[in-house]
């Protein structure tokens, strides 16, 4: 009896339920973003788990909206939760920074100092001479972990601010040279992103 009165009260229908819908949408959209990320990286076991909880939470949220079609507050909570969930999903994706990137650098300036600095930081570097539209250029390729992209870009800008560079995501890589990190706990699902120096 007490629960029935509480769930039918204005406080529940105008405040608590919209907050629950808003929160549910944040969670399910965030899960959806993470699911897409794991799908793009070939994580066939983790992605379905996120998909299961994503659709389950979405059904709970949409059920409340569909049973209260005349309440504008629920519409706003639903839409606001979607927008916030998109933001949270992108934020988490940036913080997780999973995956591997390839950085291509093209510069007219002598690049020995840039190459040596990248090597000294533990990055594997491949460089060779090329011919651009306006003359000889130096091409530099390096494969890095996504979480290191800001560090590498900072090195490029410090040694050659006018260098052209492009960054692309790598679906998979068999070998690579990366800065050595102290050993620590790494979830099993992320072991595929660990790469060691050749021969180790």
């Amino acid at each position: 009896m007490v629960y029935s009165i509480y769930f039918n009260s204005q406080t529940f229908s105008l405040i608590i339920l919209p907050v629950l819908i808003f929160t549910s949408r944040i969670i399910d959209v965030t899960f959806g973003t993470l699911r897409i990320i794991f799908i793009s990286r070939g994580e066939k076991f983790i992605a379905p788990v996120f998909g299961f909880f994503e659709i389950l939470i979405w059904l709970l949220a949409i059920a409340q909206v569909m049973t209260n079609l005349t309440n504008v507050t629920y519409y706003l909570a639903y839409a606001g939760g979607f927008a916030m969930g998109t933001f949270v999903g992108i934020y988490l994706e940036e913080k997780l920074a999973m995956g591997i990137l390839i950085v291509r650098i093209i510069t007219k300036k002598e690049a020995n100092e840039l190459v040596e600095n990248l090597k000294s930081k533990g990055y594997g570097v491949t460089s060779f001479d090329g011919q651009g539209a306006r003359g000889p250029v130096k091409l530099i390729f390096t494969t890095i972990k996504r979480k290191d992209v800001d560090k590498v870009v900072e090195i490029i800008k410090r040694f050659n601010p006018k260098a052209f560079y492009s960054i692309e995501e790598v679906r998979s890589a068999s070998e690579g040279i990366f800065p050595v990190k102290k050993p620590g706990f790494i979830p099993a699902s992320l072991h595929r992103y660990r790469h060691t120096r050749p021969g180790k």
Side-chain angles (χ1 to χ4, degrees), residues 2-175:
V2 175
Y3 289 110
S4 177
I5 295 174
Y6 174 73
F7 288 130
N8 292 322
S9 66
Q10 285 192 339
T11 301
F12 181 81
S13 61
L14 296 179
I15 299 176
I16 296 178
L17 192 53
V19 170
L20 291 175
I21 293 173
F22 179 79
T23 304
S24 298
R25 283 262 65 191
I26 292 176
I27 296 173
D28 89 74
V29 174
T30 299
F31 279 12
T33 302
L34 294 176
R35 175 178 58 82
I36 293 172
I37 293 169
F38 283 117
I39 288 175
S40 68
R41 285 164 172 72
E43 293 287 354
K44 59 183 178 182
F45 296 110
I46 296 181
V49 174
F50 278 100
F52 173 82
F53 287 104
E54 173 195 357
I55 199 64
L56 178 63
I57 296 171
W58 177 82
L59 286 172
L60 295 174
I62 196 65
Q64 296 302 319
V65 175
M66 296 303 293
T67 54
N68 297 275
L69 293 176
T70 58
N71 195 322
V72 178
T73 306
Y74 295 173
Y75 290 102
L76 296 176
Y78 188 87
F82 181 87
M84 182 59 69
T86 302
F87 173 81
V88 173
I90 294 174
Y91 177 80
L92 288 178
E93 193 271 342
E94 291 176 348
K95 289 299 180 181
L96 288 173
M98 295 185 302
I100 299 172
L101 304 174
I102 182 168
V103 182
R104 298 182 180 91
I105 309 165
I106 302 176
T107 175
K108 293 181 180 179
K109 183 180 177 181
E110 180 56 46
N112 288 339
E113 192 174 5
L114 173 59
V115 170
E116 291 304 319
N117 191 271
L118 287 170
K119 288 181 178 179
S120 69
K121 300 297 183 182
Y123 300 104
V125 179
T126 300
S127 62
F128 51 92
D129 296 323
Q131 186 68 30
R134 298 181 180 178
V137 294
K138 177 73 76 173
L139 289 84
I140 304 168
F141 284 20
T142 181
T143 304
I144 64 173
K145 294 182 179 179
R146 188 175 176 186
K147 62 183 178 181
D148 293 332
V149 65
D150 290 337
K151 297 177 184 177
V152 172
V153 170
E154 192 276 330
I155 292 173
I156 295 171
K157 291 183 177 180
R158 186 181 352 135
F159 287 93
N160 195 337
K162 295 184 178 180
F164 168 82
Y165 64 89
S166 62
I167 302 173
E168 295 180 17
E169 187 170 340
V170 177
R171 178 68 182 267
S172 63
S174 60
E175 295 290 345

